[in-house]
Amino acid sequence: KNQVEQSPQSLIILEGKNCTLQCNYTVSPFSNLRWYKQDTGRGPVSLTIMTFSENTKSNGRYTATLDADTKQSSLHITASQLSDSASYICVVSRSGTYKYIFGTGTRLKVLA
Amino acid sequence: DGGITQSPKYLFRKEGQNVTLSCEQNLNHDAMYWYRQDPGQGLRLIYYSQIVNDFQKGDIAEGYSVSREKKESFPLTVTSAQKNPTAFYLCASRDDGFSEKLFFGSGTQLSVL
């Protein structure tokens, strides 16, 4: 079954600290993996995309990794800011289809 | 601004009533999607359309209907047959290029009176 699982479900950190979010998937055939940020009551916004051949990709304070062998991805946030408080969703697309498999998200709260 | 516009932001449905959620995009994308988001669950696909005048059911299409008469527009109707319509509804369009990136609207929160 094609699934995407994320952990932790929720996370609270202090401003300025780092954190890492995890995503495990069993989607096949794999096309790419995206991390989205969703603010409360808003639509998700893409942060990064990882293809099969990529191991690491950065976007400012966000760094995503992908291990295609173990089917795991992580999103590392450096020097967190209050504006990082949001849900982070891992999304995997299947090759040859127009469908996407969504994780349930990690809800991050950054405290001052 | 280029993007996807959903309206209204909030919508209330009475018992037995059909309601329509609007989704308009000016990104010139062929493919458009409707997702339902419930607390603690991943986004679930309701309908998707790869091209004008064509659409396919997603995983939870029962109680919903769509049309795709124009490339820019993909409205979703929540019918009275949908017994549990309270949810956050998201419309998206897909970049036709290699990235296959999804662009989302700001969502519509539907509640039952």
Side-chain angles (χ1 to χ4, degrees):
Chain A
K1 185 178 179 181
N2 294 299
Q3 284 186 314
V4 175
E5 296 183 351
Q6 293 186 243
S7 61
Q9 191 172 32
S10 62
L11 183 62
I12 301 175
I13 62 173
L14 294 176
E15 187 178 16
K17 297 297 185 182
N18 304 335
C19 66
T20 300
L21 315 180
Q22 300 290 342
C23 174
N24 297 335
Y25 62 93
T26 57
V27 179
S28 181
F30 175 87
S31 177
N32 59 59
L33 182 148
R34 281 195 181 275
W35 284 93
Y36 282 82
K37 178 186 179 185
Q38 185 178 21
D39 293 314
T40 301
R42 307 285 296 178
V45 175
S46 177
L47 293 174
T48 66
I49 177 175
M50 305 293 291
T51 59
F52 187 85
S53 60
E54 294 175 312
N55 299 119
T56 304
K57 184 174 287 186
S58 293
N59 177 10
R61 294 181 297 102
Y62 301 103
T63 299
T65 66
L66 176 66
D67 186 332
D69 292 331
T70 61
K71 298 186 177 181
Q72 296 179 326
S73 176
S74 66
L75 180 69
H76 185 75
I77 304 175
T78 304
S80 61
Q81 301 175 358
L82 297 178
S83 59
D84 291 332
S85 296
S87 288
Y88 292 83
I89 303 172
C90 178
V91 185
V92 180
S93 61
R94 297 179 62 201
S95 179
T97 76
Y98 293 100
K99 293 188 177 180
Y100 300 79
I101 313 299
F102 290 80
T104 55
T106 292
R107 184 179 294 274
L108 174 65
K109 179 71 173 178
V110 181
L111 300 178
Chain B
D1 286 340
I4 299 183
T5 301
Q6 288 188 242
S7 63
K9 181 65 177 174
Y10 300 96
L11 187 59
F12 297 90
R13 194 191 87 167
K14 295 180 180 178
E15 195 76 30
Q17 184 182 40
N18 293 352
V19 293
T20 297
L21 284 60
S22 172
C23 177
E24 303 279 333
Q25 56 106 352
N26 60 7
L27 300 168
N28 200 35
H29 290 163
D30 285 319
M32 297 186 73
Y33 300 75
W34 273 107
Y35 291 96
R36 171 176 170 147
Q37 188 174 36
D38 294 281
Q41 297 191 37
L43 273 67
R44 291 184 291 169
L45 181 64
I46 304 172
Y47 269 97
Y48 68 103
S49 169
Q50 297 180 31
I51 201 167
V52 174
N53 292 322
D54 181 66
F55 49 83
Q56 284 81 41
K57 292 182 179 180
D59 301 317
I60 56 166
E62 185 174 351
Y64 301 96
S65 66
V66 294
S67 63
R68 187 85 187 277
E69 298 176 359
K70 297 186 301 182
K71 187 174 187 177
E72 303 79 21
S73 179
F74 192 39
L76 173 74
T77 297
V78 184
T79 74
S80 57
Q82 174 50 246
K83 298 306 180 185
N84 183 25
T86 298
F88 191 56
Y89 291 85
L90 286 162
C91 178
S93 69
R94 192 187 77 239
D95 185 346
D96 297 327
F98 172 76
S99 74
E100 301 178 337
K101 180 178 175 179
L102 286 178
F103 292 79
F104 286 89
S106 56
T108 293
Q109 176 64 50
L110 175 62
S111 302
V112 177
L113 288 176

